[in-house]
Every structure is written in C-alpha cells, then in structure tokens.
C-alpha cells in the first residue's frame, strides 16, 4: 500500500488563510486525480481559535468559488513534522515560526511559502519574505478575502505541479511479470570473481 503524501497549510489562527488554501488545494487534487494519493489539512501557529469554524468571510468566498467550507480550527504541533512531507506557510512570519519549531534541519526544509510556487515568484528566493506573503485579511474588509483567494488559487497551480512530481517519484511501479520466453532463458551463471569482490 502506498503511503500518502501529506501536506499541512499553516497560518496564524487557522480560520482565514490556511483553511482557504486547504480547501482550494483539495479541489485541485480531486480535479487532477491525486486526491487518493495526497492528504491535506491545515492548522494555525496559535491555538486561539481551536475548535472554531472558519471565519464567515472565508466561508463566503470559498462558497462563491465552488469550494467546500467544512472546517474546524486547530493548532500546529511540532510532533506532526515526522508524518508530514510538506508544511506550507502562508506568510514569512509563519515560515520563521515553523522552522524554529522543526525538530531537525530535515524537518525545517519541509517548510515552504505557498506563494513561492506561484508563477510570479519564479525569480524570487523562497525567503524573500514579504514579497511572497498571502496578507492576513482578518482586520480588513471582504475584498481582502477575495484577494487572498486569488493568491491562493494562483499558487496552488504551481504547488500541484510540484506535488504531482513528488508523488510520481515515490509511487512504486509493480514489476512486470516475466513473458513466457523469459521462463526458458538459462539461469545466470556464477558471478564474475571481480563482481564478488565488489559486492
């Protein structure tokens, strides 16, 4: 059985940006036929909203875009790094916080900015913080949530390409059953002496 590729989107309270990213990317995976091979969830760097649903404005823009809206907020825990393949930060502050939480350098390397996958980020480094932020819409008006959704959608296309490549690379291709003619081939002789020494 193939182990799923696991992704967690992370923002501050897990009620605005990260549930938006989770919902959009889950839809992209389903459209691409990868939903059975990739698991997606989201969390916040803080636990202020644990147990709450997404912000009503997030729900509204997702619903308008045709995305699912069911969500329960939770806080990210460092122990999750062990089971995750990618941890996607929504802004530079989350990126730094998550890398500080990472138990090992290998875990820290799993943390990426969502907009680093957007087409316009091609010439920018992953740590060029504020150029690649999805800005927090919480204290603004509804238009800010719509802008966030547009940024998330644009970056999700590039992320999907990267995830598809990663999933393809780790999927085991079953060995081909031998043809009838293969059964009649002579068994290989003893290994060459030099091969034995190098084994």
């Amino acid at each position: 059985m193939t182990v799923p590729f696991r992704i967690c989107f992370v923002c501050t309270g897990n009620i605005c940006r990260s549930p938006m990213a989770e919902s959009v990317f889950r839809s992209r995976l389903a459209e691409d036929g990868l939903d059975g091979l990739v698991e997606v969830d989201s969390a916040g760097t803080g636990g202020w909203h644990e147990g709450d649903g997404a912000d009503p404005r997030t729900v509204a823009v997702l619903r308008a875009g045709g995305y699912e809206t069911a969500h329960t907020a939770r806080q990210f825990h460092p122990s999750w790094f062990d089971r995750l393949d990618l941890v996607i930060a929504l802004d530079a502050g989350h990126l730094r916080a998550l890398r500080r939480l990472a138990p090992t350098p290998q875990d820290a390397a799993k943390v990426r900015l969502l907009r680093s996958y957007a087409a316009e980020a091609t010439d920018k480094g992953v740590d060029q913080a504020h150029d690649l932020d999805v800005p927090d819409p919480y204290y603004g008006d509804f238009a800010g949530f719509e802008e966030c959704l547009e940024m998330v959608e644009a970056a999700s296309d590039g992320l999907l390409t990267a995830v598809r490549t990663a999933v393809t690379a780790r999927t085991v291709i079953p060995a081909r059953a031998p043809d009838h003619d293969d059964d009649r081939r002579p068994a290989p002789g003893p290994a060459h002496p030099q091969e034995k020494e190098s084994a």
Side-chain angles (χ1 to χ4, degrees):
M1 183 176 177
T2 303
V3 176
F5 190 91
R6 297 186 175 100
I7 304 170
C8 185
F9 293 94
V10 183
C11 68
T12 305
N14 193 214
I15 60 169
C16 295
R17 291 169 286 177
S18 57
M20 197 180 290
E22 176 186 356
S23 185
V24 170
F25 198 66
R26 196 184 301 281
S27 175
R28 291 289 192 276
L29 290 169
E31 291 167 1
D32 206 59
L34 289 174
D35 47 332
L37 298 173
V38 182
E39 290 182 359
V40 183
D41 59 17
S42 64
T45 55
W48 311 282
H49 298 286
E50 278 194 295
D52 294 344
D55 185 287
R57 294 163 294 179
T58 295
V59 172
V61 296
L62 286 174
R63 189 170 288 146
Y67 300 106
E68 64 179 58
T69 59
H71 177 71
T72 302
R74 59 192 189 142
Q75 183 176 5
F76 186 89
H77 293 282
S79 61
W80 296 359
F81 273 105
D82 187 52
R83 65 177 178 83
L84 292 170
D85 297 286
L86 271 180
V87 180
I88 303 295
L90 272 292
D91 70 26
H94 308 134
L95 182 81
R96 291 190 296 270
L98 289 162
R99 286 183 172 171
R100 284 195 299 268
L101 286 175
T104 68
Q106 291 76 19
D107 289 324
K110 297 176 182 179
V111 186
R112 309 286 177 85
L113 279 169
L114 175 60
R115 289 191 66 216
S116 68
Y117 293 95
E120 65 266 26
T122 304
D123 298 324
K124 298 175 182 177
V126 134
D127 291 312
Q128 284 188 305
H130 304 293
D131 289 340
L132 300 179
D133 282 355
V134 175
D136 188 354
Y138 185 77
Y139 296 103
D141 57 18
F142 190 75
F145 284 79
E146 293 176 316
E147 180 185 9
C148 282
L149 181 61
E150 290 174 5
M151 290 181 175
V152 167
E153 287 177 326
S156 292
D157 294 335
L159 177 58
L160 179 64
T161 299
V163 169
R164 187 191 304 116
T165 300
V167 168
T168 301
R170 70 191 286 179
T171 301
V172 178
I173 301 172
R176 181 180 64 86
D179 292 334
H180 181 70
D181 289 341
D182 292 341
D183 295 336
R184 292 182 293 179
R185 290 174 185 164
H192 189 282
Q194 289 180 341
E195 292 176 352
K196 287 184 177 178
E197 291 171 7
S198 61

